[in-house]
Amino acid sequence: MGQGKLASVDASLNWPKNLQAVAAKSPRDTESWQPVIIEMDAPDAEERLNKLLDEVHVSSVVDNYDEQYAELIVSRRPGLYQSSYEEKVKILEGELAKHHESSHSWQKGSWVYYPWNGTLMHLIPKELFLELRTTRNRNLITGEEQQILEKFNVGCAGMSVGSNGALALGISGYSQQLKIADGAVISGSNLNRVLANSSDVGLSKSLIIARKLHEMNPYMTIQRFGEDITEENISKFFDTPWPLHAVIDEIDNLKVKIMLRVEARKRQIPVLMATDLGDDVMLDVERFDLDPNLPFFHGLVEGVEDLLEKEVEKREWLRSATMIIGPKNASIRVQQSLAQIGREIATQPQLGGTAIMAGAVLAYAVRKIALGEELRSGRTIISLDSKLLESHDTDEYRRRHKESTEMIERALGII
């Protein structure tokens, strides 16, 4: 669900005249995803700002430049942070006056225009903005480490669970050059695990996530692939206009998953995959940067690369995907759901909280790899049930789980 639009009729043709008139005055922007940034220290900045204001519709102006700069000063002076509110305000008043000197506040920093919502935003300059939005990372992440993380380019393929990975990288201040890819649109059923609005249904997933990333940080460089990854464009995803240092694979299509690993192995870069299994997250790490001879998917599916040479039927896809996941790694409810796909439920169930947790796990793995810390190839399962529920640590549960696992494996011809 969500591959493409399911309804083809244009409902607006039957709208009453007053509704059509309102819509004509405020047409919906379904295409733009890049902000317009005017850096005010450029020679022609004021001219460009005036031209922008003449040409676009601005629905709101947000100028909290002084608030941003004042907090930056406080973040650099821990002693000032500990002062009383009154003392802070008094000191900052003088600091802001010194900062502005003979110029006005609006003439500093950058003005950022978001075409899709009409907001015009005043921000402090790029380097200062990055420093401010990552200041609470310190000293969990040192200044030197932060710079390394910012330059670590990641490609996120698949914007369902993968959207949470991309947003976790964005909110953490990592990967200031980020690629996102997905050819599908937001569906109503995506709203339980993708941070999108109900008004986004029918719009491209990659477009919506690109917008959200730019709203977090307009200075990010995002390469958006609004189409599915194919044999024809996969090299572009990896190399153009800049190369990737790691790939996050959250694609459903098994062939594309294999292709991503083929290309990653050629370039000797790691592949990360987080699978949400009910309340559990399974992280797979394949360090082709350390060992280009690693078997794909930890060798769980013999001859998996041969699937690139033939058309994969749904049953074979489900069998191979289940072998990659490993039925024993899924809870009983997840196993039962797999058996009901196509009969009682349309596709595999997923939960929003688990998808968000998967995003955090992916961001953690990216950080460890980027900083050269030990993160070996292999599989890790983060299971809340096994940690928090006593009922899951009993012989009875283990017996039921084993029986359910064997049932799934028999049904798919795995055993």
Side-chain angles (χ1 to χ4, degrees):
M1 294 187 282
Q3 297 94 334
K5 291 184 179 180
L6 300 176
S8 57
V9 176
D10 183 357
S12 66
L13 297 176
N14 296 316
W15 286 353
K17 289 184 179 180
N18 56 351
L19 185 55
Q20 290 181 353
V22 170
K25 291 178 183 177
S26 305
R28 186 186 187 197
D29 184 341
T30 62
E31 300 293 334
S32 65
W33 54 275
Q34 294 172 299
V36 178
I37 302 177
I38 299 175
E39 296 176 327
M40 296 305 291
D41 58 358
D44 62 344
E46 290 193 27
E47 180 183 343
R48 289 179 59 209
L49 180 60
N50 288 333
K51 184 180 179 185
L52 177 72
L53 296 177
D54 287 339
E55 293 178 348
V56 304
H57 168 71
V58 176
S59 60
S60 63
V61 179
V62 180
D63 186 354
N64 51 27
Y65 178 99
D66 283 4
E67 188 68 23
Q68 297 168 47
Y69 192 80
E71 189 184 3
L72 181 66
I73 294 171
V74 173
S75 71
R76 291 173 171 177
R77 294 163 60 175
L80 180 57
Y81 179 78
Q82 301 300 328
S83 302
S84 68
Y85 173 74
E86 291 75 19
E87 185 177 356
K88 274 201 285 277
V89 170
K90 183 177 180 181
I91 292 173
L92 290 170
E93 185 177 353
E95 293 288 345
L96 285 167
K98 189 191 305 182
H99 171 66
H100 294 317
E101 295 180 327
S102 58
S103 62
H104 295 290
S105 171
W106 70 269
Q107 296 172 310
K108 291 188 173 292
S110 300
W111 284 95
V112 179
Y113 176 68
Y114 295 104
W116 53 90
N117 60 24
T119 299
L120 182 66
M121 178 86 181
H122 191 196
L123 293 181
I124 56 179
K126 179 178 180 178
E127 294 305 317
L128 300 184
F129 181 77
L130 292 177
E131 179 186 347
L132 176 60
R133 79 177 317 281
T134 60
T135 189
R136 294 296 290 270
N137 287 357
R138 297 168 55 197
N139 278 337
L140 298 173
I141 300 171
T142 68
E144 182 181 349
E145 289 172 337
Q146 186 67 51
Q147 290 182 5
I148 293 171
L149 289 165
E150 289 170 6
K151 296 173 183 175
F152 193 77
N153 305 335
V154 176
C156 299
M159 288 290 102
S160 185
V161 171
S163 69
N164 292 282
L167 293 173
L169 294 175
I171 200 169
S172 301
Y174 309 163
S175 304
Q176 292 304 294
Q177 293 191 142
L178 185 68
K179 296 182 184 181
I180 59 174
D182 201 313
V185 300
I186 296 285
S187 67
S189 64
N190 288 146
L191 298 178
N192 81 322
R193 65 194 183 282
V194 178
L195 293 174
N197 302 323
S198 55
S199 57
D200 296 328
V201 170
L203 297 183
S204 163
K205 287 181 181 178
S206 60
L207 177 139
I208 294 303
I209 300 305
R211 286 179 175 181
K212 289 192 176 298
L213 287 164
H214 277 312
E215 287 168 358
M216 285 183 188
N217 176 4
Y219 294 119
M220 284 185 75
T221 299
I222 298 173
Q223 287 294 315
R224 173 184 165 243
F225 290 75
E227 65 277 351
D228 291 330
I229 291 178
T230 64
E231 292 181 44
E232 290 70 33
N233 65 18
I234 194 167
S235 293
K236 183 179 177 183
F237 176 69
F238 274 85
D239 301 325
T240 307
W242 27 265
L244 297 178
H245 299 130
V247 172
I248 291 175
D249 166 28
E250 299 299 336
I251 295 283
D252 290 335
N253 186 297
L254 183 57
K255 279 195 173 184
V256 178
K257 296 177 89 67
I258 300 168
M259 285 164 47
L260 287 171
R261 284 158 178 79
V262 170
E263 299 300 321
R265 183 167 62 186
K266 284 181 189 176
R267 296 162 177 80
Q268 296 187 26
I269 64 174
V271 175
L272 304 170
M273 179 172 69
T275 306
D276 52 334
L277 298 169
D279 294 299
D280 301 341
V281 172
M282 184 167 67
L283 174 68
D284 286 290
V285 179
E286 294 168 90
R287 296 295 303 266
F288 298 114
D289 54 325
L290 302 180
D291 182 2
N293 297 314
L294 280 175
F296 294 167
F297 307 109
H298 318 302
L300 292 168
V301 182
E302 186 177 350
V304 70
E305 291 180 65
D306 296 339
L307 295 178
L308 289 178
E309 307 302 322
K310 62 180 182 179
E311 204 60 43
V312 182
E313 295 180 354
K314 183 68 175 178
R315 180 175 174 79
E316 187 172 2
W317 174 90
L318 186 58
R319 179 178 180 274
S320 297
T322 304
M323 289 174 69
I324 291 170
I325 292 171
K328 67 179 182 181
N329 297 317
S331 68
I332 292 174
R333 284 203 179 190
V334 173
Q335 292 175 342
Q336 291 171 341
S337 298
L338 289 174
Q340 294 168 355
I341 292 174
R343 293 185 296 162
E344 296 186 28
I345 56 176
T347 186
Q348 65 270 26
Q350 296 172 281
L351 299 175
T354 313
I356 292 173
M357 183 166 65
V361 169
L362 289 167
Y364 169 89
V366 165
R367 174 160 57 95
K368 296 303 178 182
I369 291 173
L371 298 180
E373 297 187 36
E374 184 181 2
L375 185 67
R376 293 174 292 182
S377 293
R379 169 170 287 176
T380 303
I381 297 176
I382 299 96
S383 173
L384 298 182
D385 282 345
S386 65
K387 295 293 183 184
L388 301 176
L389 298 182
E390 292 183 7
S391 60
H392 280 243
D393 190 27
T394 63
D395 290 339
E396 172 61 18
Y397 180 82
R398 282 187 281 271
R399 181 190 63 76
R400 290 174 51 228
H401 186 264
K402 183 180 179 181
E403 290 176 354
S404 180
T405 300
E406 291 175 351
M407 180 189 72
I408 292 292
E409 290 176 335
R410 282 195 205 91
L412 293 173
I414 296 173
I415 60 172

